[in-house]
Every structure is written in C-alpha cells, then in structure tokens.
Amino acid sequence: MATRIRLVRLGRKKRPFYRIVVCDAQERRNGNFIEILGYYNPIPAEAEVKIDTEKALDWLKKGAQPSDTVKNLLSKQGVIAQLAASK
C-alpha cells in the first residue's frame, strides 16, 4: 500500500482550512485517511501551520510520499531538514 501525505480541504466556501493527513495514494482528496498530522490555515495574513513533527518524521521514514504543497510546508517547518540530518 503506497501512502501519501496530503491536504484535505475543510471550511466553508471561499474560507478554506486544510488538514494534513496520511492516506492511501488511491483515496479521493476528502476520502478516508489513516492519521491526522496537523493543519494549515491559509486565510490569516501569516498562514498558520501546525504539524506534529514526530508523526511526520515517522511516516516519512516509513516511505510516505508528501504532495508538492505538503513538501513545501514540511520544509518551512524544518521537518525535511530533520529527516536529512537523521539519515
């Protein structure tokens, strides 16, 4: 089973709010997921991002592939650098 780390859209119309989740690569965008890793709120002037780094590192070590947007968020939070340092 290939796993992906991706965003799930929540919130109302024109007010998006995203969860960062681990899911099967074949699932739909808002389909079933395995675990919630954090959230991303792009609405404020400075976007809010909260990621559980321990869980994210664990899933990345297991081989989960982040989407492009999640990869950018993880690198801004320093998770990608921690992964490279642990290898």
Side-chain angles (χ1 to χ4, degrees), residues 33-48:
F33 56 86
I34 300 168
E35 187 172 16
I36 298 173
L37 301 181
Y39 67 85
Y40 168 55
N41 185 4
I43 295 297
E46 179 129 356
E48 296 176 48

Side-chain angles (χ1 to χ4, degrees), residues 11-40:
R12 62 180 196 244
K13 187 165 121 179
K14 300 196 181 196
R15 301 286 296 177
F17 183 84
Y18 300 95
R19 278 190 186 150
I20 301 168
V21 300
V22 177
C23 64
D24 182 22
Q26 301 300 315
E27 284 292 333
R28 298 182 314 267
R29 180 189 74 183
N30 291 340
N32 296 330
F33 56 86
I34 300 168
E35 187 172 16
I36 298 173
L37 301 181
Y39 67 85
Y40 168 55

